[in-house]
Amino acid sequence: MQEPPLIQKRTHEQLVNTLVKSFFQGLLIIGPFAITIWIIWYIVSSIDNIIPSVSERMYPGITFIIVILSTTLIGYLGNKFIIGRVVVDSFDYLLEHTPGIKFIYTSLKDVMTSFVGDKKKFNQPVLIKTTENPAIWRIGFLTQSDLSSVGFPNYVSVYLPHSYAVSGWVVFVLATNIVVLENVSAAQAMKFAVSGGVAGFHSDDNVFKAPE
């Protein structure tokens, strides 16, 4: 006995909906893996292309490994040994006092040390009040706790990262308009801000509460 057309239509729609949902679910599973692998491969390939003859003679990725090991060795020697520290400081002094080059070098150095190393700046997550009524708060990172030297007493500077981007704003704000996030690490705060709030502060625990 043949099914009525209405039942056949509903069955067809259910099948299509199931296939569509399964397809997007597959994208959610495969997407992050595929993009992560592509980014890693792109980085490795880009570094390999610095000296393509080495990778062609031996095997792909060898230049990348050499660069990583060399960087690690330089970091270890420059941090653990006096001679290495003297050499690094000498080059640092030379580049910081060379006209033209010093602006490029010091800018790059400041940006990189802001994210990594012992002097990283983005290590104090805060909330900054952007409007009073209704109260709206944005997440950022305290970068300077005293701006009196530039004519802004009682002000602080806060870096506000953009969601789904590597850019951001730096704003001057009264110190009374920020709240330090004591129970949130810098990494968790950055992940929360860059993900647009999709990534929670503490896994699935909803511990974040805006100030009253």
Side-chain angles (χ1 to χ4, degrees):
M1 181 177 180
Q2 188 177 6
E3 294 181 346
L6 181 59
I7 296 177
Q8 290 181 347
K9 182 178 179 180
R10 289 179 178 176
T11 302
H12 177 73
E13 290 177 350
Q14 290 177 353
L15 177 60
V16 172
N17 289 335
T18 300
L19 292 175
V20 171
K21 290 180 179 178
S22 298
F23 173 76
F24 284 108
Q25 187 63 39
L27 284 181
L28 291 176
I29 296 173
I30 297 175
F33 285 105
I35 294 174
T36 301
I37 293 173
W38 180 82
I39 292 175
I40 294 173
W41 177 252
Y42 177 80
I43 293 173
V44 173
S45 300
S46 299
I47 294 178
D48 272 358
N49 289 331
I50 296 175
I51 313 177
S53 59
V54 175
S55 298
E56 291 174 359
R57 291 177 182 177
M58 303 182 72
Y59 58 86
I62 186 63
T63 305
F64 175 79
I65 294 174
I66 292 174
V67 170
I68 295 298
L69 292 178
S70 300
T71 304
T72 304
L73 179 61
I74 292 172
Y76 180 78
L77 295 176
N79 187 49
K80 297 295 184 180
F81 295 93
I82 297 178
I83 296 178
R85 186 72 265 171
V86 170
V87 172
V88 172
D89 289 342
S90 298
F91 275 107
D92 183 73
Y93 180 85
L94 177 64
L95 293 175
E96 285 187 349
H97 292 80
T98 303
I101 296 177
K102 67 179 182 180
F103 295 107
I104 301 173
Y105 175 72
T106 54
S107 298
L108 292 174
K109 181 181 176 181
D110 288 341
V111 170
M112 295 189 69
T113 54
S114 295
F115 288 95
V116 297
D118 298 329
K119 299 180 181 179
K120 56 178 179 260
K121 300 293 184 181
F122 301 141
N123 57 2
Q124 181 58 74
V126 297
L127 289 177
I128 173 175
K129 183 183 286 187
T130 56
T131 61
E132 185 67 36
N133 189 19
I136 297 178
W137 298 78
R138 290 191 61 179
I139 190 167
F141 295 86
L142 184 67
T143 54
Q144 297 291 334
S145 58
D146 185 7
L147 296 174
S148 301
S149 60
V150 291
F152 284 86
N154 303 321
Y155 275 72
V156 297
S157 68
V158 178
Y159 170 72
L160 302 175
H162 290 151
S163 298
Y164 302 102
V166 294
S167 58
W169 293 339
V170 176
V171 298
F172 286 12
V173 60
L174 281 169
T176 55
N177 284 335
I178 68 169
V179 173
V180 177
L181 293 174
E182 300 288 355
N183 62 334
V184 176
S185 69
Q188 291 169 334
M190 183 65 78
K191 183 178 179 181
F192 181 91
V194 173
S195 69
V198 175
F201 282 111
H202 299 283
S203 301
D204 297 328
D205 298 330
N206 186 19
V207 299
F208 172 72
K209 294 182 180 179
E212 297 294 339

